[in-house]
Amino acid sequence: MLDFGSLLLATALSGACLSGTLLAIWLTARQARFVVTMAAGILLLVLHVIAFWQYGRNASPWLGQLTLTLLVAGFFVILCSTAQYLDRSWHRVAAAPVLAVTVLIMAVTAGGYDGLGFVLAYSTVTALLVVIASMFWAAGEYDRRILAAVTLLSGSAAISFALCALVLVANGQWSLGTVPRNWAEDLNTAVVVACMTALGALTISLHHLRTQRQLTAQTLTDPLTGLLNRRALTMFHGNTHFGSGMALAMFDLDHFKRTNDLFGHAVGDTVLQRFADVVRKHARDGVEGFRLGGEEFAVVMPGIPPLKAHEILRTIGAAFGAEIVVTKLGPLRSTVSVGICFGDEHATTLEQMLIGADAALYAAKRAGRNRVATAEAAGDERVREPELLFA
């Protein structure tokens, strides 16, 4: 049967192994900063456990200060890791209050009120864990199952630390001269061991999920313009039924080969990026932009009536035509040709929409470029008379 000291040392060993595992993961993926921050937080808690064990054997004010400072610092660093993963800045707001409480804990512990120091430290850790749980629960863009698990773990640990503080307050134990020993401490030890192990495993899972998302994003994103690529168009809309109120437009930058030949490919790349920026500005209008390849782009417009769709296309054409690219040969302006196809009550497929939009696009180019043409129907090469895109 393990005594309390042996249990603490086993906890420290388990935490040290977990911290080492996270550090090894970080060494293979340096961009995952939250992993190394979590490893540092767990290592601080390991040092706290060792100091806590020593304080139970030989209590001294400086060791009590160290014990409680390591406890608060460890959970604050874990909060920083959470903020890094979720791309939040809550840890910056918490830094000053945590520092102030830490100074207060050191002062009361140095004055012989180590019990009060434990109460303050446990209360601070409870608050930090509640913030961590809230941050994860509020992050709706992530896998809800994992977020719920992390929230549950953080919440359970918060409750166990709160109980430790309440028992000390209820018993009026403001000066201890040793570590607290009561049923809440025993419960807290068991909960923290379980939560620390599970949190480490979930940190590894979160790292793998982020890596997978990044790889998926790289696969679906055009590296030059930052827009989604043709593969993304197929993935997101390959099974879409384009009914009434949906439209797909294809763009082709006019005389782009001549731009590359006269001004160079670097200027050509800048022109492509400028057009992508113009398209991206209309994302708030429900426009999804894609680079199909070369100088060809597409946008999907769901829930937009035909008049509004044409208005958006003219706005994009005018905004792009107003863009000026400075070159060694002088200022460069470009135009774009557009073909648009509207869905119908038959709920046409992406392939049919592309056929119609592509036919309309080439009709616009044949008519003199800087024009927009509309397909008569999806999957049909008949096109209405092209119109000037902008004067």
Side-chain angles (χ1 to χ4, degrees):
M1 188 75 172
L2 290 176
D3 59 17
F4 188 67
S6 299
L7 181 59
L8 289 177
L9 291 179
T11 302
L13 179 60
S14 174
C17 292
L18 178 57
S19 181
T21 300
L22 294 176
L23 182 60
I25 291 174
W26 174 74
L27 289 174
T28 63
R30 296 294 182 90
Q31 73 278 8
R33 293 185 304 150
F34 82 99
V35 174
V36 71
T37 305
M38 177 65 75
I42 293 176
L43 183 58
L44 287 173
L45 294 181
V46 169
L47 295 175
H48 157 73
V49 171
I50 295 173
F52 186 85
W53 172 62
Q54 285 292 333
Y55 190 67
R57 300 177 64 192
N58 182 24
S60 62
W62 72 267
L63 190 54
Q65 293 173 329
L66 178 64
T67 299
L68 298 179
T69 299
L70 287 171
L71 176 64
V72 174
F75 279 101
F76 178 73
V77 173
I78 290 175
L79 171 64
C80 294
S81 173
T82 302
Q84 286 177 331
Y85 180 76
L86 299 177
D87 195 22
R88 302 289 191 270
S89 58
W90 292 15
H91 61 297
R92 296 175 184 172
V93 178
V98 168
L99 179 60
V101 173
T102 303
V103 172
L104 180 59
I105 290 170
M106 294 177 67
V108 299
T109 304
Y113 294 97
D114 57 341
L116 178 57
F118 274 100
V119 170
L120 291 172
Y122 289 157
S123 300
T124 304
V125 169
T126 299
L128 290 173
L129 286 167
V130 168
V131 172
I132 291 171
S134 301
M135 289 174 66
F136 271 108
W137 187 249
E141 66 270 27
Y142 295 87
D143 189 317
R144 179 58 66 183
R145 293 168 298 180
I146 291 182
L147 297 182
V150 176
T151 302
L152 179 62
L153 290 171
S154 302
S156 300
I159 292 172
S160 70
F161 276 106
L163 289 174
C164 290
L166 288 173
V167 168
L168 290 175
V169 171
N171 294 335
Q173 295 177 296
W174 309 118
S175 296
L176 295 172
T178 185
V179 297
R181 289 302 307 270
N182 53 61
W183 65 267
E185 289 289 338
D186 294 339
L187 175 64
N188 175 259
T189 301
V191 170
V192 170
V193 169
C195 289
M196 185 182 296
T197 304
L199 190 60
L202 285 172
T203 300
I204 296 172
S205 298
L206 290 170
H207 166 64
H208 289 319
L209 283 175
R210 167 162 286 185
T211 302
Q212 185 178 16
R213 281 201 309 272
Q214 290 173 341
L215 290 175
T216 300
Q218 291 172 3
T219 302
L220 301 179
T221 303
D222 173 55
L224 177 64
T225 64
L227 292 178
L228 296 171
N229 58 22
R230 182 184 288 271
R231 178 179 293 179
L233 176 63
T234 303
M235 175 178 289
F236 296 149
H237 294 289
N239 296 321
T240 298
H241 298 296
F242 288 82
S244 301
M246 295 192 70
L248 184 146
M250 292 181 64
F251 297 81
D252 189 279
L253 274 57
D254 296 330
H255 304 296
F256 187 71
K257 183 179 184 304
R258 187 171 66 187
T259 297
N260 276 333
D261 292 342
L262 289 178
F263 298 95
H265 288 280
V267 172
D269 288 347
T270 301
V271 172
L272 292 171
Q273 290 168 338
R274 293 286 184 88
F275 181 72
D277 291 339
V278 170
V279 171
R280 209 165 5 244
K281 290 178 182 177
H282 291 271
R284 62 182 180 275
D285 296 324
V287 172
E288 298 177 78
F290 303 85
R291 185 186 179 195
L292 302 182
E295 67 271 26
E296 284 196 345
F297 295 80
V299 299
V300 174
M301 296 181 281
I304 298 176
L307 287 177
K308 177 65 174 176
H310 277 97
E311 179 184 333
I312 290 174
L313 295 180
R314 289 191 179 90
T315 302
I316 290 175
F320 178 61
E323 290 282 336
I324 299 176
V325 177
V326 179
T327 74
K328 293 180 179 180
L329 301 178
L332 170 65
R333 286 189 176 182
S334 304
T335 59
V336 66
S337 299
V338 191
I340 186 169
C341 182
F342 292 94
D344 54 34
E345 64 275 7
H346 301 297
T348 50
T349 65
L350 174 63
E351 183 179 358
Q352 292 172 315
M353 295 290 286
L354 287 171
I355 291 173
D358 188 59
L361 170 63
Y362 281 95
K365 294 177 73 70
R366 287 194 301 269
R369 295 183 171 83
N370 184 27
R371 281 166 170 74
V372 56
T374 305
E376 287 286 354
D380 196 330
E381 296 189 359
R382 291 176 299 165
V383 177
R384 301 171 198 168
E385 185 67 25
E387 302 174 7
L388 189 66
L389 193 58
F390 78 98

